[in-house]
Amino acid sequence: MTLLTVHQDNHPTPATTATATATATATATATGPHPAAEPDPATRTSTETKTGTGTSAKTPVDPTRMPRLTTTVPREYVHRSTLAEVFLTGCEQTGNTHYTLTAQWPRAHTFFTTPDGTHHHPLQAAETIRQTGIYLAHAELGIPLGHHFLMRNLHLTTHPQHLTIGPTPTDLTLTATYTPHHPHTKRPTDFTMHITITRNGHPTATGTGRFTCLTPTTYQRLRHPHTTTPDTTTPDTTTVGTTSTAGTQHQPPNPPPTHYGRTLPHDIVLTPTPNPHTWQLTPNPHHPILFDHTTDHIPGMVLLEAAHQAATAHTHPTPTTHPTTLHATFHHYTEHHTPTYITTHTTTNDNNQTPTTHITAHQNNTTVFTAQLTTHTPTDT
């Protein structure tokens, strides 16, 4: 990078100044051995100022003494196209496999906020963990940009009492430890990342996820014959629904967004089917958060959101619940233009107080995603 430095004199010296100065000096020399008077600051030449011989010279700024300012990490390192969706702000290596990172969550995120507007949504912790794994792979572990990532699983625990939204953005500290599954390879292309998120020293969330990095050639071979060309067309969800194996006669109407734990219709990713506790996955492909960038498959965050909405709808009309633990496994890529169905059933623990919803997503009678979601009501905090 070439830096262009521009010098500008705020008070340029008139052309006659140098002549007047020279005349005054000659006169002082001719009249006797009296000391020369200090030149008037206005008569100092530009050369005198630039060389530092005058009192108006500017001291160069030492970059090492500049204050460290907060900014986000490069969006390319977390596979986001919008800067506003980059939550990580810094990283420092603290050991061979240990890192300390900083992050910030906005006060009023358009998507990762609970319907009552009082808490950060627990899935924002999942997105932060996803960004952390990808960022460390690129910035610290040597995985080149352009490689693809396959997230095999995610285990997440959140503490809702520390997810409250305050009067300022929420500053977070993350500690991350990665464990390579093939430690003797040149680059750790298959690794597990364990991440703890704290807020003012209090545990906010912990998560563990397994990541696999794929070269562009390997990814193309793995995804063949599925196209990797961006598809900007909007699929007709009505048509997809009418060709579904779940049946289309007496299709039940879609309930209001609050039924799924959301407030805006365009955030809903499910459509009910005639079968009980079964929904079709119908996300808006132009959603600015869930589809921040174009992919040739349904993003994992869409499936996590579908699991949350299905669990909320399954327990309706109980009060809105907040996920506290999530165990998700991504078995196969979920394709865009093949109907995907979400089914749920619920179990309880020994005390019969903490319900766990089991979510399964399948395409063409093949399981592509499973999750277990444990929730609590806001009054528990």
Side-chain angles (χ1 to χ4, degrees):
M1 176 182 297
T2 301
L3 299 180
L4 177 62
T5 304
V6 178
H7 298 280
Q8 180 176 356
D9 294 326
N10 294 328
H11 303 285
T13 304
T16 59
T17 300
T19 304
T21 303
T23 304
T25 303
T27 303
T29 303
T31 56
H34 300 287
E38 178 70 14
D40 187 281
T43 64
R44 290 195 180 101
T45 62
S46 59
T47 303
E48 190 176 13
T49 302
K50 292 181 180 180
T51 57
T53 59
T55 58
S56 62
K58 296 181 179 179
T59 304
V61 177
D62 184 359
T64 62
R65 303 184 65 179
M66 292 284 287
R68 185 174 181 179
L69 305 180
T70 301
T71 185
T72 64
V73 302
R75 58 188 174 87
E76 292 84 359
Y77 281 6
V78 296
H79 293 194
R80 278 297 196 180
S81 62
T82 306
L83 285 173
E85 299 308 315
V86 180
F87 299 142
L88 301 182
T89 58
C91 176
E92 179 182 1
Q93 184 171 4
T94 55
N96 290 336
T97 59
H98 302 275
Y99 299 88
T100 298
L101 303 96
T102 54
Q104 186 182 86
W105 290 345
R107 292 177 57 196
H109 196 275
T110 59
F111 184 72
F112 290 120
T113 305
T114 56
D116 58 8
T118 61
H119 288 70
H120 298 287
H121 198 284
L123 288 186
Q124 191 165 16
E127 169 61 18
T128 304
I129 289 172
R130 184 199 73 86
Q131 290 189 16
T132 302
I134 297 176
Y135 172 78
L136 290 177
H138 283 313
E140 301 291 341
L141 305 182
I143 302 300
L145 293 174
H147 281 47
H148 297 261
F149 285 77
L150 171 63
M151 195 170 189
R152 298 182 178 270
N153 54 52
L154 173 67
H155 306 285
L156 175 68
T157 301
T158 62
H159 304 278
Q161 67 270 27
H162 299 306
L163 291 174
T164 55
I165 297 176
T168 59
T170 301
D171 291 316
L172 305 166
T173 300
L174 290 72
T175 57
T177 303
Y178 85 93
T179 303
H181 291 276
H182 307 286
H184 301 296
T185 57
K186 183 178 180 180
R187 293 192 181 104
T189 56
D190 188 11
F191 58 90
T192 294
M193 193 73 67
H194 179 77
I195 299 165
T196 300
I197 304 175
T198 59
R199 176 185 185 181
N200 297 327
H202 300 288
T204 302
T206 57
T208 302
R210 183 173 179 179
F211 297 81
T212 299
C213 309
L214 305 173
T215 66
T217 301
T218 301
Y219 185 80
Q220 292 282 351
R221 184 171 62 251
L222 179 66
R223 294 294 293 142
H224 183 78
H226 302 285
T227 178
T228 57
T229 302
D231 186 356
T232 57
T233 60
T234 303
D236 187 347
T237 55
T238 303
T239 303
V240 173
T242 58
T243 59
S244 69
T245 58
T248 58
Q249 296 181 351
H250 309 293
Q251 188 82 5
N254 212 357
T258 54
H259 188 90
Y260 299 101
R262 288 293 183 180
T263 57
L264 300 177
H266 76 271
D267 289 338
I268 305 306
V269 300
L270 301 177
T271 299
T273 70
N275 298 328
H277 305 306
T278 303
W279 297 265
Q280 184 177 344
L281 183 66
T282 55
N284 175 9
H286 300 294
H287 193 283
I289 310 301
L290 295 176
F291 292 91
D292 170 79
H293 56 280
T294 303
T295 63
D296 67 339
H297 59 276
I298 299 293
M301 286 302 299
V302 174
L303 296 174
L304 294 180
E305 176 62 23
H308 165 251
Q309 293 187 16
T312 304
H314 183 100
T315 58
H316 188 80
T318 58
T320 301
T321 57
H322 296 169
T324 53
T325 60
L326 169 67
H327 302 285
T329 303
F330 303 90
H331 301 279
H332 298 281
Y333 285 104
T334 305
E335 308 302 338
H336 277 294
H337 304 297
T338 302
T340 304
Y341 298 99
I342 310 291
T343 59
T344 60
H345 71 276
T346 301
T347 60
T348 56
N349 63 0
D350 295 337
N351 297 328
N352 199 32
Q353 293 180 348
T354 306
T356 297
T357 304
H358 302 262
I359 303 101
T360 302
H362 53 274
Q363 280 188 334
N364 296 326
N365 298 319
T366 300
T367 298
V368 294
F369 169 76
T370 55
Q372 296 82 45
L373 193 65
T374 302
T375 60
H376 85 298
T377 58
T379 55
D380 290 343
T381 61

